[in-house]
Amino acid sequence: MAARSLYQLNSVKSVLRQGQLVNSAHVRLNYTLSRSYTNRTNVTAVCSGSAIPRWRYTSLRDFNDLKGAYTHAPYSRLNGKALPYRSELKHAKRIVVKLGSAVITRDDECGLALGRLASIVEQVSELHSEGHEMLIVTSGAVAFGKQRLRHEIAMSQSMRQSMRDARARNGNTMKFLEPRACAAAGQSGLMALYDSMFSQYGITCAQVLVTKPDFYNDDNRRNLQATISELLRMNIVPILNANDAVAPPPEPDKDLLGVISVKDNDSLAARLAAEGQAQLLVILSDVDGIYTAPPGEDTSKLIDTYYPGIQSTIKFGGKSRVGMGGMESKVRAAQWALERGTAVVIANGCRQGSGQAILDIVSGRKTGTFFTEAKVSTVTVETQAENARNGGRALAALSAEQRAIIITHLANLLEERKSAILSANQKDMDVARQQGNLSGPMLSRLALSAGKLTNLADGLRQIADSSHQNLDRVLKRIQVADGMELQQLTVPIGVLMVIFESRPDCLPQVAALAIASGNGLLLKGGKEAAHSNEYLHSLVQEALDIYGVKDAVSLVSTREAIYDLLKLEHLIDLVIPRGSSDLVRMIQLASKGIPVLGHSEGICHVYVDKDCDPEMAAKIVLDSKCDYPAACNAMETLLVHRSLLKTPVFDHIVDTLKQEKVSINAGPLLAKALRFGPKEAKSMRIEYGGLECCVEVVDGVEDAIGHIHKFGSSHTDVIVTNNEETAEKFLQSVDSACVFHNASSRFADGYRFGLGAEVGISTARIHSRGPVGVEGLLTTKWVLRGDGNSVGDFAEGGPNSFIHKYLPLVEDAEESGSE
């Protein structure tokens, strides 16, 4: 899409450079709005310079329908109820896009912002190709005309005049150009620009100029609507603009009896959307939406959902740098359209990174301010994040003993409510089997059992027992100077958002780790585990309520909410995705300034060396692959020393895998070595996630290390050998989060490491690596205790000097004393 925008933009620039403000492929339709509406509509098409009259006969029923629609317009609701939720905006058939002057005008207000305009045209074209009826209400004629007239004036001036004007410009004075003249000069150029852009997508557009009397005269208004309907019927994109060349100066507001006066393009767009029975009106401006106060003020907050009755809480600022309407004008126009059945979104069309604003709005993303009559009954994601921040601070303020009591109570609830948990999980399993859209490994992850819950409860008790020294633990003590001691203490990271797929047992594990570390937590589980997650979250809430800190852990309900939360870098401190590599990559791409801790893939290797114990090798390989094939720490590639090829050791390992119905793929070197072997692997970088793996031969430990570095994912890699020197070479050289000697890759787990549980396994190189337990959810702060010290005291010749002496920790001092 981006490449096409660039091609389109270059084409437009080429047209402008050559001064050819026409589009050879375009059919321009000029309609006479003053003609009385009769039983036929006069359409004059100009094709290649020839006027071709066309007549479309309209039945009396059509006429009566139109007449009935406008007998009460615009005093009554024309479109029924407006779409109440963002998720329904994708069903909008007719969409009006209003482009504010600030969106398509350059910062110098002289000429158009071609890059932004090209992106908008591309988005409109995409929606048009999907079957939406698209209308554009545009500004920009004055800016375009100003550019042309300045150029014309400069070309017609004498040298002396040009020099004089140049000196005047250097003095920050500017020759005034009458806006109506600029509009007259810019209309044709603006339309030619749209022609050129839309033609890149094979779309025809048509210009419709309107004036205020067109809305106050019943015949004109009916003709206007008939014109737009006919254009849409012919799959043409109407582009409407107030005819500023003949427009009178702005008048005071005259909104009476529900009629909104057409005094700017905001009110024009609202009238067209309501009277044209559009389901959605998108107003693009130079701000992100409606704020509680002017965006520059410290207390200002973006309102993502606007419903009737909250206008009194909004403080409006001034108008934009260009254009006739300010934000208050946009709100009034949006309210008026909403009352008549048109949903409205006001969003930013200027900010860098908002290039897909229109598509995001129609797809239901939380972009801009959405106007709806349905008052929000659920807690917004922003409120959830704020509650998690405050709840996390309250949790951190509890004593270590109190936090341990919460976790222990949660462990007890998992055993006491075992039957209810399994009943909720069975509902999820039944739905998954009925729908048939989950693979075998995903079903395994989804399933809970009595044994899993017992292990889960044991892990939580382990976390509780080890949680007493998590927070406010002194890591360093430094005597900076006499009377000044500096300490480095452990503290919570803040607010975590953990996103996991299928595995409902993740929820209490992650919740316990967050409680033990004093962090606020937002959880988003897969919809396939909705019943299980909901019930398990209720148990977490019950445990937290012992000390009144329920807000510390919240469950996010919708997938769309993830994208909204990933924008809240001021409220969320760390995102941890647990699931497929596709999920991790999606979160990494979507995160807006929030660090993401996780691994993109779990391509784990087991290398069987020539000096291995055959039975040990077969046991480790079998456990690494078959204990839980869907886990990220399961073996995906088996590397075998070349000397073992075609020996009983190699045959025994392969036969053991086949007995467990593991499908084997050959690496390229193994495929060459075996005349009649298994099929060759499509790639050496595949995470199979099931009873399937790749087998490859290597020439030795150096070759195995090189293979792992080339094709691995830095997760977990294993060597099986009785040669200690070879083992140490492997352990020291392999650059992965977990490297094992003579042990299954499945030991890469927080519970098995003694961490109690894990929020995930990180292959990152910053902060935490491997299974992430409580330690990975902590950061530090520095606490300095002084005695009225100032930096000036330590200047040259000052009374004080630095000592910078490292002091023993309290624990170290106690141990020394006991000895």
Side-chain angles (χ1 to χ4, degrees), residues 37-39 58-68 222:
Y37 192 91
T38 61
N39 68 326
T58 307
S59 67
L60 183 61
R61 179 179 179 180
D62 293 336
F63 175 79
N64 289 333
D65 287 345
L66 282 172
K67 182 178 179 181
R222 284 194 292 267

Side-chain angles (χ1 to χ4, degrees), residues 664-668 670-671 674 677-682 684 693-696:
I664 295 176
N665 303 292
L670 179 62
L674 298 178
K679 65 180 180 179
E680 187 170 345
K682 296 179 181 179
M684 299 302 295
C693 71
C694 177
V695 180
E696 181 62 305

Side-chain angles (χ1 to χ4, degrees), residues 419-441:
S419 59
I421 296 171
L422 295 178
S423 176
N425 183 246
Q426 189 60 48
K427 293 179 182 178
D428 292 325
M429 294 295 293
D430 292 342
V431 172
R433 291 192 180 101
Q434 182 179 0
Q435 294 178 345
N437 55 2
L438 290 184
S439 62

Side-chain angles (χ1 to χ4, degrees), residues 753-769:
F753 274 18
L755 306 178
E758 66 186 35
V759 293
I761 295 180
S762 170
T763 57
R765 301 178 186 276
I766 298 176
H767 181 63
S768 187
R769 209 170 179 213

Side-chain angles (χ1 to χ4, degrees), residues 72 252 294 389 482 562 601 626:
H72 304 288
R389 173 75 74 191
D482 289 335
I562 295 176
E601 291 172 308
C626 301

Side-chain angles (χ1 to χ4, degrees), residues 103-118:
V103 175
I104 63 174
T105 303
R106 292 194 326 225
D107 291 340
D108 62 3
E109 303 176 21
C110 184
L112 303 182
L114 296 180
R116 288 198 292 264
L117 194 58

Side-chain angles (χ1 to χ4, degrees), residues 28-34 136-142 183-188 190-191 206-215 220 223-224 227-228 231 238-247 262 265 268 272:
R28 174 162 297 172
L29 303 173
N30 297 314
Y31 296 86
T32 306
L33 299 180
S34 59
I136 295 177
V137 177
T138 183
S139 303
V142 173
Q187 287 288 358
S188 61
L190 178 64
M191 194 59 205
Q207 181 183 28
V208 180
L209 286 174
V210 297
T211 57
K212 189 179 299 186
D214 294 325
F215 289 91
N220 287 5
N223 285 338
L224 173 61
T227 296
I228 293 173
L231 291 171
I239 298 178
L240 300 98
N241 190 9
N243 190 357
D244 294 329
V246 296
V262 178
N265 277 342
L268 169 61
L272 288 170

Side-chain angles (χ1 to χ4, degrees), residues 145-147 149-150 153 174-182:
K146 185 183 293 186
Q147 181 185 31
L149 291 181
R150 281 185 174 178
I153 291 171
M174 184 176 294
K175 186 179 180 68
F176 175 76
L177 294 174
E178 211 283 324
R180 282 188 286 260
C182 292

